Amino acid sequence: MPTNLVINGEDRISSRGSMTPLIDVLRDEFFLTGAKVACREGVCGACTVHLDGRPVVSCLVPLGTVEGRDVRTVESLAVAGEPSPLQLIMEEHDVVQCGMCFPGILMVLTSFFQERPHAERDEIKAALVGNICRCTGYERLVDAAVALARRS
């Protein structure tokens, strides 16, 4: 049975089974490859997307639960080709990642800053607890997020 959903502002219909993980639908059916498949257990955060404005690990979200709901991926952060303020500050602070965890981190921080635009360093670190980076430390990333909070 087809599933209707909104992905990055566009009405979409998926023909995949209702128990198919959302991450597989996004990547394999709609070719939105920003969210990454890593653990498939919901512990690393690499597959994080927004579902109705809240971050979720899409590897644990069955397609059947997103009927009629709003899904936003990392591809939605840039508006009209212009990077978001969060993306710009990450570039400005030379936050270089391999690309596996980074989309999920951007999605978590985007949601976090909508609720806590003037967050302190410890709050930012706590917000990132569900995102595992295997290749670098988190200091540059947190420094950039702190700089964004100070600009707000």
Side-chain angles (χ1 to χ4, degrees), residues 3 14-26 28-29 40 58-66:
T3 301
S14 174
S15 59
R16 303 289 294 270
S18 64
M19 292 305 294
T20 304
L22 179 58
I23 185 69
D24 293 339
V25 172
L26 294 172
D28 301 340
E29 190 170 357
R40 287 204 179 269
S58 60
C59 68
L60 297 183
V61 177
L63 177 62
T65 67
V66 299

Side-chain angles (χ1 to χ4, degrees), residues 2 9 38 41 52 55 59-60 79 81-82 93 101-102 136:
E41 295 177 358
D52 295 333
C59 68
L60 297 183
V79 177
E82 291 298 317
H93 280 78
C101 68
F102 203 59
T136 69

Side-chain angles (χ1 to χ4, degrees), residues 96-101 132-138:
V96 179
Q97 307 292 124
C98 73
M100 196 65 173
C101 68
I132 298 172
C133 176
R134 294 165 181 88
C135 64
T136 69
Y138 295 85

Side-chain angles (χ1 to χ4, degrees), residues 16 33 84 88 99 116 139 146:
R16 303 289 294 270
T33 58
S84 71
L88 289 172
R116 299 277 306 131
E139 287 308 305
V146 168

Side-chain angles (χ1 to χ4, degrees), residues 114-132:
Q114 288 171 351
E115 293 180 16
R116 299 277 306 131
H118 306 293
E120 298 292 329
R121 184 177 204 83
D122 287 343
E123 294 173 297
I124 293 166
K125 285 182 173 183
L128 292 171
V129 77
N131 294 89
I132 298 172

Side-chain angles (χ1 to χ4, degrees), residues 8 33-35 48-50 72-78 87 102-104 106-107:
N8 297 336
T33 58
T48 301
V49 299
H50 290 173
R72 298 280 171 169
T73 68
V74 71
E75 289 90 349
S76 74
L77 295 183
Q87 290 171 307
F102 203 59
L106 289 174
M107 296 307 286

